[in-house]
Amino acid sequence: MKRTILITGGAGFIGSHVVRLFVGKYPDCRIVCLDKLTYAGNPANLADVAQAPNFVFVKADICDLERMRAVFREYDVEGVIHLAAESHVDRSIRDPFTFARTNVLGTLSLLQAASEHWAGKTEGKRFHHISTDEVYGALQADGTFFTEATRYDPHSPYSASKASSDHFVRAFHDTYGLPTVVSNCSNNYGPYQFPEKLIPLFINNIRLGRPLPVYGRGENVRDWLYVEDHARAIDAIFHRGRIGETYNIGGCNEWRNIDLVRVLVRTADRLLGNPEGHSEHLITFVADRAGHDLRYAIDARKLREELGWEPSLQFEEGIEKTVRWYLDNRKWTDDVTSGEYANYYEQMYGRR
Ligand code: NAD
Ligand code: DAU
């Protein structure tokens, strides 16, 4: 193998798409997928690459500094793509400490392990930290966008923990010369997203005839990007982005929640063979999320102009693929929501 790339959080939603892309596209690189397998991490997301000769799975907690040091030594890691995180805003409101631990202290132990292992030999090394547009706070409905220069202004415990981790990454670059790059992406959608997030939760609820809990009046706006387009952006930034830089990634695809929910209802009803409007009555307005950011929208010009990246999929096509995937893979959703998947990894990979 030419070199080893460590991908953390690779059993989660976005991480599994990044691992799949890298395992297939770089057969002469060893791809070490490291994941604690929290409720959000599922080895079934990686079933199609688990047997690939360049794929290695390590079950570990990024907060365990000794373990991170050992992983860097054992595999002589040369590149890191760091996605492992607690990622759900609603959970962060109920349990902020878990978010501070994983997202801040976990990132710090990875940075420490990388800077020790690469000390004095940073040529060809790279630490790519995957972050979110939520660190920039909330936009008004006024047509403005987040750029890489927008001031950080996080509002939820989740975004505060991600903002903090971004600052640590930059601090390691500025203080210790760690070759880092940061990317901040908008909302992702697609297969393998844990069904606590809006799109997979609502598709599942439509299938089961359950209420669709729209927070507030559904006026909040998100900028949606198909997950495989995010994975391609990560590939471009990891390989060709400039050290010490930040790149925003977004779909240029803003939707008010209520309009998006209506598209989901129409698409799911059609694919389920229901008459038009069949599931509209499931839409239920509920109490708003505390500190709910009104609008996110990314200006991805820097990424486009420097690295030539563009989203490849039209939203209509991406949503159709996504709804179809969740309806065709009901067992995946049933398994992750029943909690029975917790022992999968041992059955699939054995103890490591
Ligand atoms: P996810 O919750 O689906 O996956 C997170 C993964 O990290 C899981 O596999 C989980 O087991 C693992 N993990 C959690 N704590 C860990 C720990 N202590 N040690 C090792 N592994 C641990 O999240 P996602 O939606 O795929 O997001 C991945 C990354 O991308 C996160 O850093 C998130 O902040 C960022 N991001 C997500 C979005 C989005 O729309 N989902 C957008 C922008 C950025
Ligand atoms: O912007 C990037 C971020 O997008 C990522 O960093 C996060 O990890 C990811 O979870 C996502 O955060 P959001 O809070 O935007 O995603 P979520 O799917 O939870 O909610 C999308 C919108 O839908 C948001 O305005 C809240 C609303 N919502 C969500 C749920 C789960 C509802 O109205 N009802 C719901 O039940």
Side-chain angles (χ1 to χ4, degrees):
M1 293 288 161
K2 250 182 11 202
R3 65 199 287 247
T4 295
I5 301 169
L6 173 67
I7 301 182
T8 71
F13 165 48
I14 302 170
S16 62
H17 289 275
V18 177
V19 167
R20 184 171 300 104
L21 175 68
F22 274 60
V23 164
K25 189 169 173 188
Y26 303 107
D28 51 358
C29 287
R30 178 166 55 189
I31 306 301
V32 175
C33 168
L34 184 148
D35 201 296
K36 183 182 175 184
L37 298 180
T38 67
Y39 78 94
N42 182 353
N45 298 356
L46 295 166
D48 54 339
V49 293
Q51 304 308 325
N54 61 338
F55 173 82
V56 177
F57 184 82
V58 175
K59 182 173 189 264
D61 184 342
I62 54 166
C63 300
D64 182 346
L65 175 58
E66 280 313 317
R67 191 73 201 284
M68 294 308 104
R69 287 178 169 136
V71 167
F72 272 80
R73 271 196 309 273
E74 179 175 353
Y75 297 103
D76 189 18
V77 172
E78 293 192 31
V80 177
I81 303 176
H82 174 38
L83 297 111
E86 290 292 338
S87 68
H88 190 41
V89 173
D90 293 330
R91 283 180 189 259
S92 80
I93 295 168
R94 290 197 302 272
D95 176 18
F97 284 90
T98 302
F99 283 69
R101 180 181 177 275
T102 293
N103 298 357
V104 185
L105 297 178
T107 299
L108 181 55
S109 52
L110 269 178
L111 289 164
Q112 181 66 26
S115 59
E116 288 173 9
H117 191 70
W118 298 341
K121 40 180 175 70
T122 52
E123 184 66 32
K125 312 293 194 301
R126 181 159 295 209
F127 189 111
H128 182 171
H129 176 61
I130 307 303
S131 192
T132 171
D133 58 0
E134 303 202 9
V135 298
Y136 297 124
L139 295 166
Q140 294 306 306
D142 58 2
T144 52
F145 295 92
F146 297 134
T147 73
E148 289 80 0
T150 302
R151 191 175 70 87
Y152 273 33
D153 183 22
H155 298 142
S156 73
Y158 163 68
S159 52
S161 68
K162 292 295 291 186
S164 173
S165 65
D166 295 9
H167 291 316
F168 269 107
V169 172
R170 294 195 182 98
F172 268 66
H173 172 265
D174 295 350
T175 307
Y176 308 111
L178 195 72
T180 61
V181 64
V182 177
S183 56
N184 296 76
C185 188
S186 64
N187 285 63
N188 285 215
Y189 70 99
Y192 301 111
Q193 187 168 32
F194 196 83
E196 61 186 354
K197 309 278 168 64
L198 179 76
I199 289 182
L201 175 72
F202 279 32
I203 296 170
N204 197 40
N205 284 8
I206 295 167
R207 168 171 77 88
L208 298 172
R210 292 186 185 151
L212 307 175
V214 176
Y215 298 159
R217 299 305 303 163
E219 301 286 345
N220 305 69
V221 173
R222 297 291 182 265
D223 174 0
W224 294 94
L225 179 68
Y226 193 68
V227 62
E228 288 178 2
D229 280 329
H230 187 189
R232 286 194 307 105
I234 290 172
D235 182 22
I237 295 164
F238 176 76
H239 285 103
R240 295 186 285 117
R242 284 180 292 136
I243 298 288
E245 290 289 322
T246 294
Y247 294 86
N248 279 355
I249 312 169
C252 207
N253 177 41
E254 292 180 53
W255 285 82
R256 275 196 324 159
N257 289 343
I258 187 63
D259 298 331
L260 172 60
V261 168
R262 294 209 167 100
V263 170
L264 289 175
V265 168
R266 269 201 305 279
T267 310
D269 272 342
R270 177 167 47 76
L271 293 176
L272 286 164
N274 294 331
E276 205 180 315
H278 175 83
S279 301
E280 284 272 344
H281 72 284
L282 298 174
I283 297 175
T284 311
F285 293 99
V286 299
D288 209 351
R289 173 185 277 174
H292 199 172
D293 288 334
L294 178 65
R295 174 173 167 258
Y296 304 142
I298 282 280
D299 178 344
R301 208 171 341 175
K302 177 174 173 182
L303 177 59
R304 192 171 62 241
E305 288 175 2
E306 269 191 31
L307 303 179
W309 174 90
E310 299 262 12
S312 70
L313 224 58
Q314 291 296 315
F315 189 60
E316 292 66 26
E317 196 188 333
I319 271 297
E320 174 96 13
K321 267 174 85 152
T322 302
V323 175
R324 202 180 279 283
W325 189 88
Y326 286 97
L327 296 180
D328 288 349
N329 291 275
R330 295 163 192 209
K331 188 169 169 353
W332 181 90
T333 307
D334 291 346
D335 285 349
V336 298
T337 48
S338 74
E340 282 173 16
Y341 76 105
N343 294 323
Y344 276 21
Y345 119 91
E346 279 201 4
Q347 290 162 17
M348 290 181 64
Y349 304 109
R351 269 187 197 284
R352 290 187 192 222

